[in-house]
Amino acid sequence: MAFFRKKQAASVDKPHKSQLRDWTEALIVAAVLALIIRTFVVQAFKIPSGSMEDTLLIGDHLLVNKFIYGTNLPFTDGPVLKIRDPQRGDIIVFEFPEDKDKSYFKRRDFIKRIVGLPGDEVEIRQKHVFINGAPYRTEQAVFKDGTLTVGPRDNMPPTIVPADSYFVMGDNRDRSYDSRFWKFVHRSTVKGLAFIKYWSWDSEKFLPRWNRIGRPIE
């Protein structure tokens, strides 16, 4: 009788273990896929500051295309499977250059617009940007301090962008900590191209910004 009970218990327990294993395998596969997607395909970011106003507002949540510029793999000389190089006007997410000596988990991500490409000469005179001697204007740039001019923020001597690097600026030109202060973003630290706002939350009104959700980033 005891033998029968043991066999019966085993026959009841087996499907339970099989189901548990199936769930575990499914969770592991889902986690691996999520990691692959986050690393190589697309990643979500949240805007914490006003340096990109009014293009991006505090509380905007956006998706970043991580494969358009290619993927940096170990033992390779550069990005592979690249669709195109970063272009002037692209809004990119990158590791903050001044965090390069910090541990991986303490490095911050910044988001800015590319203004200068490798080999460009960038100059700023009285808030106006000049690329290779010609004025460079973008309709997204805003100036919230009026005509007040301050040091390198509004006047920067001609500077050559090194190879494999980019000169970036915030669209909120008067309130952005960018390449005017810490110089360049190296190609290897670029994480991807910001391309769409999938959610936006106004913390002051405690309401979603419905008119911003699903809008492409330009």
Side-chain angles (χ1 to χ4, degrees), residues 62-196:
L62 49 100
L63 295 178
V64 171
N65 183 327
K66 302 194 74 173
F67 63 84
I68 190 169
Y69 301 142
T71 301
N72 293 312
L73 298 176
F75 312 111
T76 59
D77 295 330
V80 297
L81 303 176
K82 178 176 64 179
I83 296 176
R84 67 170 176 84
D85 289 316
Q87 299 175 357
R88 196 183 333 275
D90 284 357
I91 295 179
I92 60 171
V93 171
F94 55 91
E95 289 184 359
F96 182 39
E98 292 187 348
D99 286 349
K100 64 181 179 179
D101 295 326
K102 295 182 179 180
S103 67
Y104 175 81
F105 297 102
K106 291 184 178 180
R107 295 175 192 170
R108 292 166 290 176
D109 292 327
F110 270 33
I111 183 166
K112 305 291 179 187
R113 188 183 297 276
I114 294 178
V115 171
L117 299 173
D120 281 346
E121 179 189 80
V122 182
E123 181 181 4
I124 300 173
R125 305 179 216 152
Q126 299 292 305
K127 298 180 183 284
H128 298 291
V129 179
F130 293 81
I131 305 294
N132 301 320
Y136 173 72
R137 299 183 179 89
T138 172
E139 62 182 15
Q140 293 90 345
V142 297
F143 301 89
K144 300 194 175 184
D145 284 352
T147 58
L148 176 66
T149 57
V150 179
R153 186 194 74 177
D154 301 323
N155 293 281
M156 187 188 76
T159 303
I160 302 296
V161 182
D164 297 321
S165 299
Y166 303 95
F167 189 95
V168 299
M169 298 177 71
D171 286 349
N172 188 355
R173 295 288 172 78
D174 290 337
R175 300 172 188 175
S176 175
Y177 187 50
D178 51 38
S179 288
R180 291 170 289 181
F181 302 94
W182 40 256
K183 298 308 177 188
F184 312 105
V185 173
H186 193 269
R187 174 68 182 81
S188 63
T189 67
V190 176
K191 293 193 171 183
L193 170 72
F195 70 97
I196 194 169

Side-chain angles (χ1 to χ4, degrees), residues 8 21 39 56 104 115 128 165 192 217:
Q8 188 179 44
R21 185 177 64 227
T39 303
L56 298 171
Y104 175 81
V115 171
H128 298 291
S165 299
I217 299 171

